[in-house]
Amino acid sequence: MEWLTSPFEVGFVARALWGGLLVSAICGLAGTWVVLRGMAFMSDAMSHGMLPGVAVAALLGGNLLLGAALSALAMAFGITALSRSKRLSQDTGIGLLFVGMLAAGVIIVSRSQSFAVDLTGFLFGDVLSVQHADLVVLGCALAAAVLIAAACHRSFVALAFDRRKAATLGLRPGLAQGLMVGLLTLAIAASFHVVGTLLVFGLLIAPPAAMALWADRIPVIMAGAALLGAAATAGGLLVSWHLGTAAGATIAALAVASFFASALAALVRDRLPLRPTVEPKGL
């Protein structure tokens, strides 16, 4: 069993594991609503839209997480503003901002002497460089995510399934949508350091989607998604350690693989004939 435990005895691998576990919990909370609300394309655009903020923060020596969050929020507000136009669909606005923000970020990063290193770390993550200060920030981010998810649970449920009914019940769907986007922004900003923006969907979408095939209660989906993300993190770090693969990409690949395994199992379940029920005999 030494091959299973020895990697995590190394300091930077242990920190990577804790960082991945915290991110998995955050993504389990936010990703569930992304799956139920159908916000996958918006999430993808926001993850790539973080590049300008991260680039500016890196060039100025500021906090990368703060830069990512501010850039993602700007992306979200831009999408919301363009969505109000009757002549443009939301997808059109998302696509335009997606390309524009990504191009602006690449231009900014290209001004740095370490262009290739900076861009590679941003796109694919650098989980093995997680420090103790990063763990503190991720812990605070998880606490904030739990607080938002718990306080807004009823509003989020109504928004996800019937926006008009949410308005009828006085749950303020506009505010709920804003808070949901804030929760998504928090998850994306927290995740990019672990798996990068190109692979953030591995932890944000795949585990909740895998659990949604088996559970019909939202808290169960969230908890199961966090556990699947944690398993992908631990497994990805192990595979990366022994086979020399990229840690962030391996974590994301295992998370996506868990979805396809879940989908295959669900397909088999649905094709199995139902067992005939036996009518109870009278006494």
Side-chain angles (χ1 to χ4, degrees), residues 186-278:
L186 182 64
I188 292 174
S191 303
F192 90 92
H193 190 50
V194 175
V195 291
T197 59
L198 288 182
L199 305 174
V200 68
F201 266 19
L203 289 178
L204 186 65
I205 303 297
M211 281 301 302
L213 297 173
W214 295 90
D216 55 6
R217 295 184 65 245
I218 291 174
V220 176
I221 296 175
M222 289 179 173
L227 290 176
L228 286 177
T233 297
L237 290 173
L238 276 174
V239 172
S240 172
W241 177 270
H242 292 294
L243 299 184
T245 58
T250 308
I251 292 171
L254 287 182
V256 174
S258 71
F259 165 76
F260 285 109
S262 176
L264 180 60
L267 180 63
V268 173
R269 175 201 61 191
D270 295 339
R271 288 179 178 271
L272 290 176
L274 295 177
R275 293 182 178 180
T277 57
V278 178

Side-chain angles (χ1 to χ4, degrees), residues 140-232:
C140 294
L142 176 58
V146 170
L147 182 62
I148 294 172
C152 303
H153 181 78
R154 186 164 175 263
S155 299
F156 286 176
V157 171
L159 178 65
F161 295 102
D162 193 335
R163 185 184 181 97
R164 287 179 296 181
K165 187 174 182 179
T168 302
L169 294 174
L171 295 176
R172 304 179 66 182
L175 177 60
Q177 175 69 17
L179 291 171
M180 188 179 290
V181 170
L183 180 62
L184 175 60
T185 300
L186 182 64
I188 292 174
S191 303
F192 90 92
H193 190 50
V194 175
V195 291
T197 59
L198 288 182
L199 305 174
V200 68
F201 266 19
L203 289 178
L204 186 65
I205 303 297
M211 281 301 302
L213 297 173
W214 295 90
D216 55 6
R217 295 184 65 245
I218 291 174
V220 176
I221 296 175
M222 289 179 173
L227 290 176
L228 286 177

